[in-house]
Amino acid sequence: MRILFFLLFCFSVSAQVQKGQASFYSNRLKGHRTSSGEKYNPAKFTAAHRKLPFNTWVEVYMPKTKKTTFVRIIDRGPHSRKRIIDVSRAAAKDLGLIPYGFATVQIKPVTEKSRIDSLNAMESEEIYEFEPKSATSDSLSRNPQ
C-alpha cells in the first residue's frame, strides 16, 4: 500500500506544470555523452532536467515569445539552481530563446499521444492562419512601378 501511495505521489508531482528559468546547451558540448549515455546533438529536440525520467517528453512554453516546443529529457541538470531546464540549440531556436540566453518558461510532461496531437493541431493552425496577401487595385495605384 505504501508503494502504491508513493508511486501515485511521484506521478502527480511530475505531471504538474513547472515555471522557472530555461537556458540552452553550449555548442561545445556537441558529441559529449549525456547522463543517459546518449550523445548530445544540438539539432535534436532534447533537454536536461534534474528529476524527470530519461525519455520523458516535455512541452516547453515561453511566454515572452508565445512559442511552444517539445523536448525529450536525456540529461541531468541544469547545474545552476536558478534554472529548471536546459534545452538543446534546436529547441532554443524554436522557442526564440537564443537572443535572450535564458528566459522564463513553463514546462509540463506530456504523453507521446498528446505530444503528437498538439503538433498536429499546431500544424493545422499554421495552415489555416496563413492568408496570402493579394494585390488589389488600391495597393497598385499607391505603389506604381
Side-chain angles (χ1 to χ4, degrees):
M1 187 66 173
R2 286 183 186 179
I3 294 173
L4 179 61
F5 178 74
F6 177 74
L7 290 174
L8 288 172
F9 174 77
C10 289
F11 180 76
S12 66
V13 169
S14 67
Q16 294 177 352
V17 174
Q18 295 179 21
K19 185 176 182 181
Q21 296 290 307
S23 60
F24 56 93
Y25 279 86
S26 165
N27 280 336
R28 293 180 296 150
L29 297 175
K30 181 179 181 179
H32 286 242
R33 294 249 178 229
T34 63
S35 298
S36 67
E38 189 173 328
K39 288 184 179 180
Y40 169 64
N41 181 344
K44 290 187 177 180
F45 285 72
T46 57
H49 189 275
R50 283 186 200 87
K51 295 182 181 176
L52 290 173
F54 294 136
N55 293 316
T56 299
W57 281 98
V58 177
E59 178 181 337
V60 183
Y61 171 69
M62 187 169 151
K64 188 179 272 188
T65 59
K66 295 180 175 53
K67 293 184 178 180
T68 300
T69 195
F70 294 90
V71 295
R72 186 172 52 88
I73 303 299
I74 65 164
D75 202 6
R76 291 291 169 234
H79 298 293
S80 169
R81 292 282 170 204
K82 295 178 182 179
R83 296 190 308 272
I84 61 169
I85 194 166
D86 281 339
V87 298
S88 66
R89 189 95 176 161
K93 185 176 180 182
D94 200 38
L95 287 168
L97 177 62
I98 291 177
Y100 302 103
F102 63 92
T104 300
V105 296
Q106 295 174 1
I107 64 171
K108 176 178 67 172
V110 294
T111 63
E112 181 72 14
K113 183 184 180 328
S114 65
R115 181 180 72 88
I116 291 169
D117 290 346
S118 294
L119 289 171
N120 288 336
M122 285 180 200
E123 186 177 286
S124 64
E125 281 177 19
E126 289 174 11
I127 291 169
Y128 294 113
E129 285 180 7
F130 175 73
E131 294 179 23
K133 294 181 180 178
S134 59
T136 61
S137 58
D138 187 43
S139 66
L140 292 174
S141 64
R142 280 186 270 153
N143 296 322
Q145 291 184 348

